[in-house]
Amino acid sequence: MAVDVAPLVSTRSPRGGRVRMSVSAAHRGDARMAWLLIAPALLGFLVFAVYPTLRGIYLSFTDFRVIGDANWIGGANFVRMMGDEVFWNSLRVTVYYVLLSAGGVIVLSLVTAVILHRLTTSTTIRSVIIIPFLVSNIVAGVIWTWMMDSQLGIANELLEAVGIPRIQFFTDPAWAIPALAAVTVWKGLGYTTILLFVGLQAIPVQVYEAGRLDGASEFQMFRRITIPLLRPVLAMVVILTIINCFQIFDLVQVTTKGGPENSTNVLQNYIYSKAFGQFDFGYASAISLGLFLIMLVITFVQMRLSRINESDTD
């Protein structure tokens, strides 16, 4: 005869009597409640993330143009993409932008976080630093378009005041991407600084005290203590920043709209023009899938190189 060996817990009923209930039964009740609570979020994820992704993958193998049915054409869109000069130019522009913006955000955020950690614990300064992150990309784009205007912008007024000729930031092909990267750095600096600052708070103070007793300089402690112990947080920040930079779109639409001379025509902008400008949804889906695979490979390589799931503090 089978014997129920599940451990029992006891509690009191409202009338004072003792009620015996198995732990497994209690866990089943918790599981049902957990599924009930996450059901709205899970439903939203399936409807707004999983289904559009699967639909986009399917459309990338079709010639769907809104009007009419989607006809299966196999890998023709991907063959077309390999010979598309505008696609390759957009990929080069996107990589150039990501290197400038992500590199600027990460380096400046790390320096700012270390300075904050070593010099001040003021919550006011941390609050002020994160304010640009709260501004939408649309508003940031409009503000910086005014500030970088070649005739009336304050940026050119300051350059002229120190003897530097005026620069056409958003209308000169050579300056357009650096100008966009500068706006991205200004906007993302506060958020990544706070993330790194929290990571620095987790490093034991005794480690730095031991380093000082051994005669280590500030730079040596930064290189041999701060960077290794901050690696998991730093790796996460690098991955999130690069993914965010690859998704640049609204800032480009507000400032340059892909110009001048396609110098800021990033992949997201090219996908938008193909899908909603020319209604070539099949080809736009193929480019989107290509961008997704590029980001997937980059993220995987970064995770492997940075050993993000390992911590030197263990």
Side-chain angles (χ1 to χ4, degrees):
M1 181 178 64
V3 179
D4 186 4
V5 295
L8 299 177
V9 296
S10 63
T11 182
R12 289 189 176 278
S13 68
R15 297 181 176 179
R18 298 183 69 82
V19 177
R20 294 170 67 83
M21 180 176 59
S22 69
V23 174
S24 58
H27 285 178
R28 284 196 295 272
D30 291 343
R32 284 193 293 270
M33 179 58 69
W35 279 109
L36 181 64
L37 292 175
I38 68 172
L42 183 61
L43 181 62
F45 175 72
L46 293 174
V47 172
F48 297 109
V50 175
Y51 172 73
T53 301
L54 296 178
R55 177 70 173 169
I57 293 174
Y58 167 72
L59 291 179
S60 66
F61 293 95
T62 69
D63 61 353
F64 184 58
R65 290 179 177 271
V66 181
I67 300 176
D69 297 330
N71 300 313
W72 183 268
I73 58 174
N77 283 328
F78 297 96
V79 174
R80 175 185 171 188
M81 189 168 66
M82 292 298 103
D84 187 350
E85 293 183 0
V86 180
F87 165 76
W88 290 111
N89 176 72
S90 298
L91 183 59
R92 285 193 294 271
V93 169
T94 305
V95 172
Y96 179 38
Y97 165 79
V98 170
L99 290 176
L100 287 182
S101 55
V105 168
I106 294 165
V107 172
L108 292 179
S109 298
L110 181 60
V111 172
T112 308
V114 171
I115 292 174
L116 287 179
H117 181 248
R118 304 305 295 271
L119 298 182
T120 179
T121 58
S122 172
T123 55
T124 303
I125 295 178
R126 278 177 266 165
S127 303
V128 171
I129 275 183
I130 205 171
I131 285 177
F133 177 72
L134 304 178
V135 179
S136 72
N137 282 339
I138 303 296
V139 175
V142 172
I143 293 174
W144 280 93
T145 301
W146 292 342
M147 293 177 64
M148 291 183 171
D149 185 84
S150 59
Q151 299 299 322
L152 304 174
I154 189 173
N156 273 308
E157 293 292 335
L158 294 175
L159 290 177
E160 198 170 40
V162 296
I164 299 176
R166 289 177 175 270
I167 299 174
Q168 298 181 346
F169 288 103
F170 291 119
T171 54
D172 186 339
W175 279 98
I177 283 294
L180 287 173
V183 178
T184 303
V185 170
W186 169 81
K187 192 174 181 309
L189 180 66
Y191 178 67
T192 49
T193 296
I194 296 301
L195 290 179
L196 294 173
F197 180 82
V198 173
L200 290 171
Q201 296 283 73
I203 299 177
V205 179
Q206 294 80 0
V207 179
Y208 289 105
E209 293 175 349
R212 291 192 189 91
L213 291 176
D214 290 339
S217 64
E218 288 292 330
F219 178 74
Q220 287 174 324
M221 287 194 290
F222 175 77
R223 188 166 62 91
R224 296 183 180 276
I225 296 176
T226 302
I227 294 298
L229 297 184
L230 191 63
R231 182 173 48 77
V233 178
L234 189 58
M236 181 196 68
V237 167
V238 170
I239 292 173
L240 292 178
T241 304
I242 290 179
I243 291 176
N244 185 55
C245 290
F246 263 106
Q247 295 176 333
I248 181 69
F249 172 71
D250 43 8
L251 185 60
V252 173
Q253 282 295 309
V254 172
T255 53
T256 63
K257 292 183 173 55
E261 302 173 7
N262 280 336
S263 60
T264 61
N265 191 20
V266 294
L267 277 176
Q268 295 281 5
N269 193 69
Y270 187 47
I271 292 170
Y272 176 81
S273 65
K274 281 294 177 184
F276 298 99
Q278 303 175 17
F279 299 105
D280 194 353
F281 280 88
Y283 186 50
S285 299
I287 301 174
S288 300
L289 183 59
L291 177 60
F292 171 74
L293 294 177
I294 291 172
M295 294 171 63
L296 191 65
V297 170
I298 291 175
T299 302
F300 177 76
V301 172
Q302 286 180 322
M303 293 182 67
R304 293 286 297 179
L305 292 178
S306 59
R307 296 175 294 154
I308 193 171
N309 57 340
E310 300 176 16
S311 173
D312 292 339
T313 58
D314 294 338

